[in-house]
Amino acid sequence: MAEEEGSTSTTTLLPDSLKNTPSNIARLEDVIEHSKARHKYLAQTTSSSDGGDVRWYFCKTPLAPNELAASVPSTEIVGKSDYFRFGMRDSLAIEASFLQREEELLSSWWREYAECSDGPRERQTSGTKLDRHQFCEIDEERVGVPVKGGLYEVDLIKRHCFPVYWNGENRRVLRGHWFARKGGLDWLPIREDVAEQLEIAYRSQVWHRRTFQLSGLFAARVDLQGSTQGLHALFTGEDDTWEAWLNVDASGFSNFVSLAGNGIKLRRGYSPSNSPKPTQDELRQKKEEEMDDYCSQVPVRHLVFMVHGIGQRLEKSNLVDDVGHFRHITASLAEQHLTSHQLGTQRVLYIPCQWRKGLKLSGETAVEKITLDGVRGLRVTLSATVHDVLYYMSPIYCQDIIDSVSNQLNRLYLKFIKRNPGYDGKVSLYGHSLGSVLSYDILCHQDNLSSPFPMEWMYKEHSEDEEPVPEKKSNNFQHSSINQDDTSSVKNPSDEKKITQQTYSEIEAELSEESSVLCPMLSSGHNFITEPNSMSPSNVRDIFEISDSSNTFFEKTGALDKLENVNLGLPVAKEECNGTNNKDEVIKKLREEIDSLNAKLADLESCVDGHSKEELDSVPLPQLSPELPPTQDVPKRYTAYINYTKLLFKVDTFFAVGSPLGVFLALRNIRIGIGRGQEYWEQENISEDMPACRQMFNIFHPYDPVAYRVEPLVCKEYFGKRPVLIPYHRGGKRLHIGFQEFTENLAVRTHTIKNYMISARDRVLAVCHSKNMENMEGESSEEEEEPSYGSLMMERLTGSKTGRIDHMLQDKTFEHPYLQALGSHTNYWRDYDTALFILKHLYRDVPEELDSSIVHSAGSSRNDSRSVSWFDPRDTVEEDVPLTFSDKVKVRNFSIKAKRIFAENTASDYI
């Protein structure tokens, strides 16, 4: 009955309920124990070599693009350094999902194994199957069992372990049920095909049919099919006690070491290593398992997207590896600087955003063709790094880069939400180098998703200020839609300039090549109409011909239907043109204007007929060009607009690390604000942006040649203030920095005391001559308390009145500044001080300990529920303390322990 109930409960479970999440991980052991498929894997004898624990492994070396998982490993026993164990909870999750679909998964696996049984020659001929396999590798929608903190998933059909949030290589996954011990070391898993043959022999209890072997051993021989010829297993023992060895005939060739003599000891089920002196690989393996088990218990409450900068096209640059280093550093620092309550409350997930990978720009091909052969390596390096900045500063490729970053961020967030539905935690952005500029621009355009190219205002102002003034006897058909060399026109030059700007902005998306020719024609005709006394008989005929040809051109091309929103310089009210949305009304008004032009031309003809030729020749008339300029010669003005994508999440904190954002904003003449700082900055041509985030930090190394400050662009009062020093991760400040600050503070305090004494003397003299001292002090205090516009913007970006944006790392004590500058820009991913600063900020809202009332009510159960792996290593391991002025960590831990003991004693006194 118990088996039937267990099988029924297992079959009703959904696949999502078996995922390795904190809410489901507690039920995995019960699911496995009550599964009907699990019972056949339990120990059926009392032998010390028998067990029922199954562990899953993944290969260290990734699979080739067209390599099937069943083709590896090539040896029956995997190498010790080739495969690593999943954590205990990850193995439980994989095994639970495997047992639920055991028949389907085994059937698929043996089919794939059959494809690999004839060797690599047949696998190369099956092109269709390889294409299907390759398609599965690039498929982004496949979902498996989440492992290793949700960064990887396991595809049990293909036996692959693949990354979730980036396109990575597949790794072989192996189910360890039978194990072998070589040379007294750890138990290593045996390949599935050999383990299945051993399992069949075990279930049939072959040791009951043992005979004398050639070696003199009384045992049962089981021949095994594998990659080694002559491979066989020997089973000895009584009814419930048995032992087994793996051996090979003397004529056979062994593919693994120490397969001679009495053979290699076998066991069924996993058994941990009991070595008194574990090796470095075993310690690292244990550490990885503890980390994976921790990630499976604690939920993700903060998500950090890490956007890279330049250099990702280099062969040795890999953002995934950089983020992996950063993740391991923060994990080790979390054990030392965070409390057990903070570690158990939330977990931070760092996800790389690879926006440059897969982005193909059309200009790259042309750059490669024109690259010189001299110092080719240096040129390729510059092309893969510095050129990304030039591409982003170009209005042609800026849109592609912005789209790549925005789409990648939204895609990663949707992937995370799909695997963590109902997520209500925080999301932050980490931008390195150029990635910080891209992230900042995206955050500044979350409300207004369309904005002109950042440098467009410079180009526009430059072209307007330096536009050449045409001569009087120049061609009337200029490149502008208004004839500006006619000084007797009805409109003054300022009005014409406004109309020109309006025309450019209105026709850039709608005006075709025909309408670009019509604009100078009509404007020139209008100038002729306003000068009826400047006509000569020799030119009137040309005017009539132009007018007739223009009317004929209108009728043939239907250009009137295309000019619905264009101001052509005609005497039409500006308000009417801009405010008219009805197409028919606009066309009607334009036709009326053309009719009036024809009537005025008729009046001119009659006026010319009433004057003599001598009178008309005395009137000067600008010379007309007999031919219209070709359409392609008319330059068109375009305003480059960048369309930004709305992010699907709100950003809590924006970390700009090693960022050139300051120089980008300075070149754009942009300040950080809400658009009301014209008087504060005392500049009329500046613009302001405000990123859509709750808090912003600018982290940089003092010798980083790419990094710049940001605070002076937010508040000009911070120009003379030094950036905030980021504490050393081992406590305090470095020796030379502490001594330097001590001398500087001493000089500042001395100067302050001197100024205070002078001001005190002046106040005493002022009191003697004034009776309204209190009123004056009240007024002066009110003036001092009034914050400036820049300080308000600082408070908005930092969340507090005393908050700061610029944070500077401490340089090393005994190293030349120029040597530090070489690697300072790329060292942020592996810098412990940067990692600790970000880690503490992400955990700032999580209290170090629970309230005393909660601690008292929880009692000793709270201490029992702590994870064994997340201990405080400072209690057992002494750290190499450098030359610092203080160790705040030890002081804080001592105070925490003292408070805890005091709270427990107080509670016991009340009891």
Side-chain angles (χ1 to χ4, degrees), residues 564-803:
E564 54 186 88
N565 291 326
V566 182
N567 188 349
L568 300 174
L570 301 175
V572 182
K574 183 177 179 180
E575 294 79 3
E576 293 178 0
C577 291
N578 293 335
T580 304
N581 295 324
N582 194 336
K583 180 179 179 180
D584 297 334
E585 293 182 1
V586 175
I587 295 176
K588 181 179 178 182
K589 291 181 179 180
L590 290 175
R591 290 185 183 275
E592 291 177 356
E593 294 298 332
I594 294 176
D595 294 338
S596 63
L597 286 176
N598 292 330
K600 291 181 179 181
L601 287 175
D603 294 340
L604 286 175
E605 184 179 0
S606 60
C607 181
V608 170
D609 294 339
H611 292 77
S612 62
K613 183 177 180 181
E614 292 76 6
E615 294 177 353
L616 293 175
D617 291 338
S618 62
V619 179
L621 182 67
Q623 198 174 18
L624 295 176
S625 177
E627 296 180 358
L628 291 175
T631 303
Q632 60 270 18
D633 292 340
V634 180
K636 298 180 181 179
R637 245 188 101 97
Y638 294 96
T639 301
Y641 274 80
I642 306 300
N643 297 321
Y644 294 86
T645 303
K646 183 74 173 180
L647 296 180
L648 302 177
F649 53 89
K650 294 183 179 179
V651 177
D652 180 78
T653 305
F654 171 47
F655 298 98
V657 182
S659 173
L661 178 61
V663 71
F664 270 80
L665 296 180
L667 293 177
R668 298 173 183 175
N669 204 16
I670 292 178
R671 304 294 182 264
I672 301 180
I674 58 176
R676 302 177 183 177
Q678 299 291 338
E679 297 181 358
Y680 174 75
W681 294 105
E682 298 178 353
Q683 297 180 13
E684 297 181 357
N685 58 345
I686 66 165
S687 58
E688 297 184 35
D689 288 334
M690 179 62 68
C693 60
R694 193 185 65 85
Q695 200 165 3
M696 175 180 174
F697 291 102
N698 182 34
I699 304 172
F700 55 90
H701 192 276
Y703 302 137
D704 185 357
V706 181
Y708 289 85
R709 292 193 62 185
V710 173
E711 286 180 345
L713 300 179
V714 182
C715 181
K716 59 184 179 181
E717 288 82 5
Y718 280 78
F719 175 76
K721 292 186 178 180
R722 298 182 59 184
V724 180
L725 278 179
I726 296 178
Y728 188 44
H729 69 280
R730 289 179 175 174
K733 300 176 182 178
R734 296 182 185 268
L735 182 62
H736 68 290
I737 295 179
F739 181 76
Q740 181 181 0
E741 285 193 351
F742 174 76
T743 55
E744 291 179 357
N745 292 336
L746 182 61
V748 170
R749 290 183 179 181
T750 304
H751 184 70
T752 302
I753 294 175
K754 182 178 179 181
N755 292 338
Y756 179 78
M757 297 298 295
I758 295 175
S759 61
R761 184 192 61 184
D762 295 339
R763 289 182 181 179
V764 171
L765 296 177
V767 168
C768 297
H769 297 282
S770 176
K771 296 181 180 180
N772 300 326
M773 182 186 60
E774 296 180 357
N775 296 334
M776 293 175 59
E777 291 180 354
E779 293 177 358
S780 61
S781 62
E782 290 179 359
E783 293 178 357
E784 292 177 356
E785 293 178 356
E786 183 179 357
S788 63
Y789 175 81
S791 60
L792 293 177
M793 296 302 100
M794 285 289 297
E795 182 178 356
R796 179 167 181 171
L797 281 173
T798 59
S800 63
K801 294 182 180 180
T802 59

Side-chain angles (χ1 to χ4, degrees), residues 5 149 216 243 252 290 310 328 332 336 516 525 537 555 590 750 765 780 841:
E5 293 178 358
E243 292 182 351
E290 292 175 353
I310 62 176
H328 285 292
S332 61
Q336 303 174 19
S516 65
E555 295 174 359
L590 290 175
T750 304
L765 296 177
S780 61
H841 177 76

Side-chain angles (χ1 to χ4, degrees), residues 101-109 111 157:
R101 308 162 53 197
E102 182 184 16
E103 295 182 0
E104 175 190 356
L105 295 176
L106 288 178
S107 175
S108 175
W109 170 253
R111 278 198 302 269
I157 297 179

Side-chain angles (χ1 to χ4, degrees), residues 223 256 298 376 422 548 596 679:
D223 293 326
F256 43 85
V298 181
R376 186 75 180 183
D548 293 340
S596 63
E679 297 181 358

